[in-house]
Amino acid sequence: MKFFDLLRLVITNLNRRKARVGLTAIGVVIGTGAVVILVSLAIGLQMNANEQLYGIGDLSQIYVYPAYGGGGEVFISPRGGGGGGGGTQDIKLLTNSALQELGALPSVVAVIPREFLQANSVISYKKLQTYTGMFGVGTNDLADFGLKAEQGTTQLSRSTIVIGSRVAQNFMDFNLRPGQEPPPPPDLYDQQIQLTIFKYDDQGNEIRKNYSFRVAGVLSEAGSEADYSIYLPLEQVKVMNEWANNTRINYNKTGYNEVIVKVENPDKTLEVRDQIIALGFQANTMLDFVQGINNFYQILQVVLGGVGAIALLVAAIGIANTMAMSILERTREIGLMKAVGATNRDVLSLFLGEAAGIGFIGGLGGVLVGWLLGQMLNVVAIVYLAQQAAQQGGIPPSVAVYTPIWLPIFVLAFSTFIGMLSGLYPALRAATMIPVLALKYE
Amino acid sequence: MGGTTVRALDGVDIEIPEHTFTVVMGPSGSGKSSLLYLLGGLDRPTAGEIIVNGQRLDLMDENALALFRRKTMGFIFQSFNLVSSMSALENVAFPMQFAGITASQRNEKSKVLLTQVGLADRSDHKPSELSGGQQQRVAVARALINDPLLILADEPTGNLDSQSGTTVMQMLADLHKAGRTVLVVTHDARMTRFATHKIFLLDGRVVSEAEYQSAALQPLQP
Ligand SMILES: Nc1ncnc2c1ncn2[C@@H]1O[C@H](COP(=O)(O)OP(=O)(O)O)[C@@H](O)[C@H]1O
Ligand SMILES: [Mg+2]
């Protein structure tokens, strides 16, 4: 029997019993609809989470730290071992030669050391103060981090600073009395900002040191820690740290505390991360974090999909029942088919086809219903979430329920398969009927 | 059901020559249908041999039997067995689907056959819109669609009024004249006038015409 003839016969036969097929398919509609909407919801949540994470850090950046042997440090090494010689050399410091080693790795476009200001400090502008973190970076252009300037420049030089987009909002008047209206955030661009760092002598007396910097640039919103950071040249921070901690720092001996390795694109990040770990350093990326979150949402998808699948299981029992009844009613027809030369395989294909057809029709309905409900939910949820975001100052979500193209295709294939599976037993019974008994059946 | 064994046919040894019109006579329950279904490869004997066109049906597997029925057999049933959802034309064409013949060829041949049985104007009608006699004529056309070697009819006139019955019998007789081998099962004595060969069955045994007649004349056992 030709496939097209089989298909036509299946459609004719399903058409014959519209009401029953329809009612059975409704079960499948509910099951597949549930799968579509629940999985779409999980995917939407995941996209949402990723959207919030986007800019949590540049995904093409790898944060590299010195590795202090097999001590208390958590040493993540998927490659294991660490190669020859690594065993005796316990400490792998981020010295300048190490930086060269990192820079030589394929796909690496920049290797930039970064140091925190390790001192008690206050940053002030007129009556306003803040305690924002200050970074010294080993580059004279923040564009190397992929940062852009909203105002001024990304270039760093002596006695100028570049500030993140939200730094100005963090300047506060600490002498404000309760109930008093806080002043609007100042426009700091091209303004002079005072930095005071403190240390204490042996007698416990406070010693201060004052600096004045001009804000040479305000960065565009990056959605990351950069928004809350103040950037200085590395040398500057080194001098301050030396003064505050009464030490001399020789990076060639002690190494840097942190180095940021930037790769040419995020696809290479994990590969380079592994290579850096293989060199004996500690390294992590925001991608690990994002992947952890993605794993969570993938599990959520499976769980929610499973919930929908249970509804589909109930529908499958419905299909099996409908097919069993239909085969009983059409016993003589089966006998006739066999009498006129249908093979067992033809009969099996026909009834499997009809069962699969019910699954397909139901799946089609379910995909449609699930998708429509998802879209409706989207409209409602986005409005709600946007309000929430407005109140709490987050990024408003652009999507709540998302149905990727593979989902309806998969669900449709799955429901068709489930239909076929539920029809298997009745269809096998039909196919193996003894022709003469089927023909005589009343 | 239960444990009793019914011998529907016992010790039947018959030969049906080609191009004959054979009528199988017998009272209800004598095994006529059983004989027909065995010959048609729709049933299997518990013992014995069935040879049709040189092929041992009793040794064939299911698939081979299906192919055998498709190529060699045309069945006509007492209750027509048309598919109620299909038109007359579709019913006639139905067996050809399993043979994998294209739709246009099926259509063409079915139209020719419907015309032959005088129902060209009814090709779009559903069985429920046809009289019993017309339905059985559709079934005759269907039996011919695969050009069978042997046409087997199980009480083809059993559900028909006598006029329609005669039309159908005449049709079968014409098929025989056209060179086909026809076997008709009936308990209607009037049908024997078309026969070239007769087989009489009593309780699953083949008997002579004389024995059959005398049995028929005997009063029913109390
Ligand atoms: N499937 C069956 N199971 C058991 N007995 C059957 C079956 N089919 C027919 N019989 C019995 O076999 C005998 C012959 O039946 P059948 O060939 O249908 O007779 P006829 O067609 O001459 O009326 C009857 O006694 C009938 O009861
Ligand atoms: Mg009978």
Side-chain angles (χ1 to χ4, degrees), chain A residues 332-405:
Chain A
R332 284 164 65 96
E333 190 182 318
I334 294 162
L336 173 82
M337 281 167 61
K338 294 193 156 196
V340 301
T343 58
N344 289 2
R345 209 189 129 135
D346 289 333
V347 177
L348 184 74
S349 309
L350 179 65
F351 285 98
L352 280 184
E354 288 181 26
I358 298 176
F360 181 81
I361 292 167
L364 215 58
V367 162
L368 219 68
V369 166
W371 183 78
L372 278 175
L373 277 178
Q375 293 308 301
M376 276 157 63
L377 202 66
N378 239 350
V379 173
V380 177
I382 285 174
V383 170
Y384 174 76
L385 290 172
Q387 276 172 0
Q388 290 260 307
Q391 278 167 18
Q392 292 161 14
I395 305 167
S398 61
V399 70
V401 179
Y402 180 78
T403 311
I405 187 70

Side-chain angles (χ1 to χ4, degrees), chain B residues 146-191:
Chain B
N146 280 335
D147 272 320
L149 206 65
L150 185 58
I151 293 165
L152 299 175
D154 189 2
E155 310 214 23
T157 60
N159 280 6
L160 302 180
D161 60 274
S162 65
Q163 203 196 323
S164 311
T166 310
T167 312
V168 168
M169 281 310 278
Q170 189 59 55
M171 232 165 230
L172 294 173
D174 291 345
L175 291 175
H176 165 241
K177 282 199 198 105
R180 293 186 195 272
T181 310
V182 181
L183 184 137
V184 180
V185 157
T186 185
H187 58 253
D188 185 347
R190 291 177 304 154
M191 299 302 166

Side-chain angles (χ1 to χ4, degrees), chain A residues 437 440, chain B residues 6 8 27-34:
Chain A
L437 293 182
K440 281 186 187 169
Chain B
V6 177
S28 187
S30 57
K32 306 183 297 294
S33 297
S34 302

Side-chain angles (χ1 to χ4, degrees), chain A residues 37 59 81 87 96 101 107 143 193 202 230 280 302 307 319 426 431:
Chain A
I37 195 155
L59 295 183
N96 279 322
E101 211 179 339
S107 309
I193 283 180
D202 298 342
I230 296 176
V302 171
V307 171
I319 295 178

Side-chain angles (χ1 to χ4, degrees), chain A residues 266-427:
Chain A
D267 291 348
K268 301 274 190 229
T269 306
L270 292 180
E271 191 183 317
V272 175
R273 192 264 327 258
D274 288 349
Q275 285 168 349
I276 293 171
I277 289 171
L279 288 176
F281 302 104
Q282 279 195 75
N284 52 53
T285 77
M286 283 305 166
L287 217 52
D288 292 316
F289 186 53
V290 172
Q291 279 193 336
I293 287 186
N294 281 341
N295 285 345
F296 167 75
Y297 282 104
Q298 260 149 28
I299 291 167
L300 190 69
Q301 275 172 40
V302 171
V303 169
L304 289 184
V307 171
I310 290 171
L312 206 54
L313 187 74
V314 177
I317 295 167
I319 295 178
N321 185 39
T322 295
M323 290 312 294
M325 270 174 75
S326 148
I327 279 157
L328 214 59
E329 282 169 11
R330 288 157 68 194
T331 302
R332 284 164 65 96
E333 190 182 318
I334 294 162
L336 173 82
M337 281 167 61
K338 294 193 156 196
V340 301
T343 58
N344 289 2
R345 209 189 129 135
D346 289 333
V347 177
L348 184 74
S349 309
L350 179 65
F351 285 98
L352 280 184
E354 288 181 26
I358 298 176
F360 181 81
I361 292 167
L364 215 58
V367 162
L368 219 68
V369 166
W371 183 78
L372 278 175
L373 277 178
Q375 293 308 301
M376 276 157 63
L377 202 66
N378 239 350
V379 173
V380 177
I382 285 174
V383 170
Y384 174 76
L385 290 172
Q387 276 172 0
Q388 290 260 307
Q391 278 167 18
Q392 292 161 14
I395 305 167
S398 61
V399 70
V401 179
Y402 180 78
T403 311
I405 187 70
W406 61 261
L407 183 62
I409 294 171
F410 170 79
V411 165
L412 209 54
F414 188 64
S415 67
T416 308
F417 174 73
I418 288 289
M420 200 148 89
L421 208 64
S422 358
L424 190 62
Y425 176 67

Side-chain angles (χ1 to χ4, degrees), chain A residues 61-78:
Chain A
Q61 285 181 10
I62 302 166
Y63 300 83
V64 184
Y65 305 94
Y68 297 100
E73 292 292 328
V74 183
F75 198 104
I76 314 149
S77 174

